[in-house]
Amino acid sequence: MRTPAIFLDRDGTLIEEAGYLDRLERVSIFPWTIDALRLLGRAGFRLIVVTNQAGVAKGMFDEAFVRETHRVLTEKFAAGGARIDGFYCCPHFQEASVEMYRRDCECRKPKPGMLHQAAREHGLALDRSFVVGDRWSDVEAARAAGARGVLVKTGYGVIDAAHPKNGIEAAKIAENLMDATAWIIQEQRRWA
Ligand SMILES: [Mg+2]
Ligand SMILES: [Zn+2]
């Protein structure tokens, strides 16, 4: 039996959007994030973080820093009883200054590569899954993978929500991750 998942964008969705997050002191978890993660986990979803980190390709920080950031987040979430099942990061960028990351990859959202990889590795049911993010590229990745996209109006979400993208429609536009969580759990009940 495949499990449904919530694919969570990181910056602007779980934590404050910081431009390029390049120092741990700049990590600021939204006050509702841990409660939302705990509720989603309890509702039976696997929780998977999917994050574009082009700052790696641009030489602003390295992959070790991204891993360290995710280790710190894991600890802070665990202290509040919430658990992330997997972290996936795209370090690539087409016009990267760091040559090894200069690539038109399949993982950078809006492409669905990270979702597909996580689905394989965790046995996920994409058609019963949701992607929550603050950019239309998150919603596009959802659609490309056959999941449902929720746009949150935190981070860049206020700007993106005000500028609809042709042909891209969110299943829901939510105020923040907690609002998205309440809607998702309600939707899940309707299916049951
Ligand atoms: Mg984001
Ligand atoms: Zn990539």
Side-chain angles (χ1 to χ4, degrees):
M1 178 72 175
R2 293 182 165 265
T3 317
I6 309 296
F7 295 97
L8 299 144
D9 171 57
R10 194 190 80 183
D11 302 347
T13 303
L14 297 176
I15 64 177
E16 297 270 7
E17 169 60 57
Y20 288 94
L21 180 75
D22 58 358
R23 283 190 329 236
L24 282 177
E25 309 88 79
R26 298 179 67 209
V27 172
S28 173
I29 301 172
F30 287 123
W32 50 80
T33 292
I34 295 178
D35 288 339
L37 294 177
R38 209 173 41 235
L39 287 169
L40 290 168
R42 202 184 290 160
F45 292 102
R46 292 277 187 283
L47 305 183
I48 309 286
V49 173
V50 288
T51 179
N52 285 353
Q53 293 296 328
V56 174
K58 295 176 183 178
M60 302 166 83
F61 46 87
D62 58 15
E63 287 191 89
F65 173 75
V66 176
R67 280 194 298 274
E68 175 65 5
T69 304
H70 295 169
R71 191 188 61 73
V72 168
L73 286 176
T74 298
E75 266 178 18
K76 296 193 177 200
F77 293 165
R83 197 188 75 173
I84 298 293
D85 296 287
F87 285 90
Y88 293 81
C89 166
C90 167
H92 308 112
F93 193 61
Q94 236 176 322
E95 291 96 48
S97 50
V98 184
E99 200 185 336
M100 66 180 290
Y101 297 113
R102 195 180 305 147
R103 193 180 314 164
D104 181 18
C105 64
E106 289 304 311
C107 42
R108 183 173 166 78
K109 296 175 288 186
K111 291 198 178 161
M114 290 191 282
L115 280 63
H116 285 145
Q117 189 189 345
R120 279 194 306 275
E121 294 177 357
H122 294 266
L124 305 175
L126 287 170
D127 60 341
R128 287 186 286 131
S129 295
F130 296 82
V131 180
V132 184
D134 67 324
R135 308 235 59 175
W136 289 115
S137 52
D138 296 302
V139 177
E140 282 188 76
R143 192 175 62 172
R148 298 206 284 165
V150 179
L151 185 75
V152 286
K153 286 161 77 175
T154 47
Y156 290 114
V158 177
I159 300 167
D160 273 26
H163 297 89
K165 243 188 127 181
N166 255 346
I168 309 296
E169 217 171 305
K172 166 80 179 169
I173 296 181
E175 289 305 312
N176 56 41
L177 179 61
M178 185 52 91
D179 185 27
T181 295
W183 179 79
I184 287 168
I185 288 173
Q186 202 180 3
E187 283 294 292
Q188 189 197 31
R189 290 213 181 102
R190 282 203 333 184
W191 297 350

